[in-house]
Amino acid sequence: MTANPEVSKHTTSAKKSVPLHVAIIMDGNGRWAEARGVDVSEGHHAGFENLRRVVADFANRGVGYLTLYAFSTENWDRPESEVNGILDLAIAVIAHEAQQLNENGVRIKHLGRVDRLSTELREELEQAVEMTAENTGLTLGIAFDYGGRAEIANAARQLIRDGVPADEIDEAKFAEYLYTSDLPNVDLLIRTGGDLRISNFLLWQTAYSEFYSSETLWPDFHGDHIDKAFESFSERQRRFGKRT
Ligand code: IPE
Ligand code: IPE
Ligand code: MG
């Protein structure tokens, strides 16, 4: 007997897998502003507005971990006024959103260096992390002053400081020293803005991630765009190097 196409269609959609850990390179704020003939600061403002919106979008779709690349170790080299604008926006968004995120059961984590952040930003971040530490809903990783290479170098430094014997350093031990020690590997890495590069994001944790690039600029990326990314993810065959 031939299979009923309606049934097999239903079976396929029922099997759709939702990625456990999604990481996003939130790129395109500058081009968004340029396209509107407005200052880059308005692009970053729109980008942070979108950040608030997408957290719920991902939580509602059953994602367990969402890690967002908000500011890289290289982004300090941008014009001072742009950098200061991003730092101020970050402070405002955390101050404004942390309580609501806490009420929604979101656990906030910071990935990156803290020593170069202003006292105000560091304190806002620390407070948000502390307040939400026991929550069991979505884990929201905020990569701010984050660089994959810096993270790996930092892990090596800490291992040596802790006097870990060379023979005890394997992949699992090394991973304990990364900012992501209590996060699973990334399943789906999304980059908005259309570029096809990693830009120093989660170099270790994306070893077997599925990549998805969207032409949509970050301030416009939500809802249907997320569904399209998940659709693509659910069609991938992940092999992890094995013959399957
Ligand atoms: C990403 O948007 C946000 C940060 C890097 C902080 P960009 O500002 O890089 O946007 P484009 O790439 O110039 O469009
Ligand atoms: C990556 O975007 C960093 C963030 C999104 C925070 P960039 O705009 O800094 O990356 P490049 O310069 O295009 O590689
Ligand atoms: Mg960019």
Side-chain angles (χ1 to χ4, degrees):
M1 216 172 105
T2 48
N4 177 342
E6 283 310 312
V7 171
S8 56
K9 217 166 121 195
H10 180 256
T11 314
T12 313
S13 65
K15 268 199 214 151
K16 250 182 206 163
S17 52
V18 171
L20 176 64
H21 186 176
V22 177
I24 310 184
I25 301 173
M26 308 186 290
D27 198 25
N29 296 349
R31 280 162 282 169
W32 187 94
E34 206 178 303
R36 282 161 181 75
V38 296
D39 190 74
V40 67
S41 61
E42 291 198 36
H44 290 309
H45 187 266
F48 274 93
E49 283 296 314
N50 192 45
L51 192 156
R52 299 157 56 157
R53 179 165 41 180
V54 294
V55 175
D57 284 351
F58 280 95
N60 292 339
R61 284 166 174 76
V63 167
Y65 302 82
L66 178 66
T67 302
L68 303 174
Y69 202 8
F71 193 80
S72 75
T73 47
E74 289 72 45
N75 287 150
W76 292 107
D77 295 333
R78 293 189 179 196
E80 200 182 334
S81 59
E82 182 178 353
V83 170
N84 287 338
I86 295 171
L87 298 178
D88 287 347
L89 275 168
I91 293 167
V93 168
I94 299 165
H96 200 262
E97 296 299 309
Q99 191 58 46
Q100 187 63 48
L101 290 168
N102 188 37
E103 282 165 25
N104 294 342
V106 173
R107 179 172 70 122
I108 299 172
K109 273 195 65 95
H110 171 239
L111 286 67
R113 288 177 63 165
V114 286
D115 57 299
R116 300 193 288 192
L117 304 181
S118 66
T119 311
E120 200 182 357
L121 179 52
R122 190 164 57 236
E123 284 177 359
E124 284 295 347
L125 264 173
E126 278 168 4
Q127 264 180 32
V129 170
E130 253 172 56
M131 174 169 69
T132 62
E134 304 301 324
N135 289 345
T136 55
L138 176 84
T139 296
L140 175 64
I142 300 174
F144 203 102
D145 200 4
Y146 174 87
R149 288 179 172 176
E151 177 181 36
I152 290 168
N154 180 60
R157 206 160 41 237
Q158 297 297 337
L159 278 157
I160 291 168
R161 280 201 185 122
D162 282 1
V164 180
D167 289 347
E168 282 179 24
I169 301 176
D170 57 11
E171 291 178 21
K173 185 51 130 188
F174 202 91
E176 282 175 26
Y177 282 79
L178 298 172
Y179 300 129
T180 51
S181 56
D182 57 346
L183 305 185
N185 283 320
V186 175
D187 297 298
L188 175 63
L189 174 69
I190 298 173
R191 181 168 187 143
T192 61
D195 283 317
L196 297 169
R197 58 174 171 263
I198 192 94
S199 300
N200 203 12
F201 191 38
L202 299 175
L203 299 179
W204 174 284
Q205 300 85 347
T206 53
Y208 274 102
S209 305
E210 296 297 325
F211 278 41
Y212 182 85
S213 167
S214 170
E215 290 294 328
T216 304
L217 304 173
W218 172 250
D220 297 326
F221 187 87
H222 47 265
D224 291 351
H225 304 108
I226 299 172
D227 289 335
K228 268 180 80 179
F230 279 21
E231 189 86 22
S232 173
F233 176 79
S234 72
E235 286 162 4
R236 312 282 178 92
Q237 193 200 356
R238 305 185 74 187
R239 286 188 290 276
F240 300 97
K242 298 181 179 66
R243 173 81 57 211
T244 54

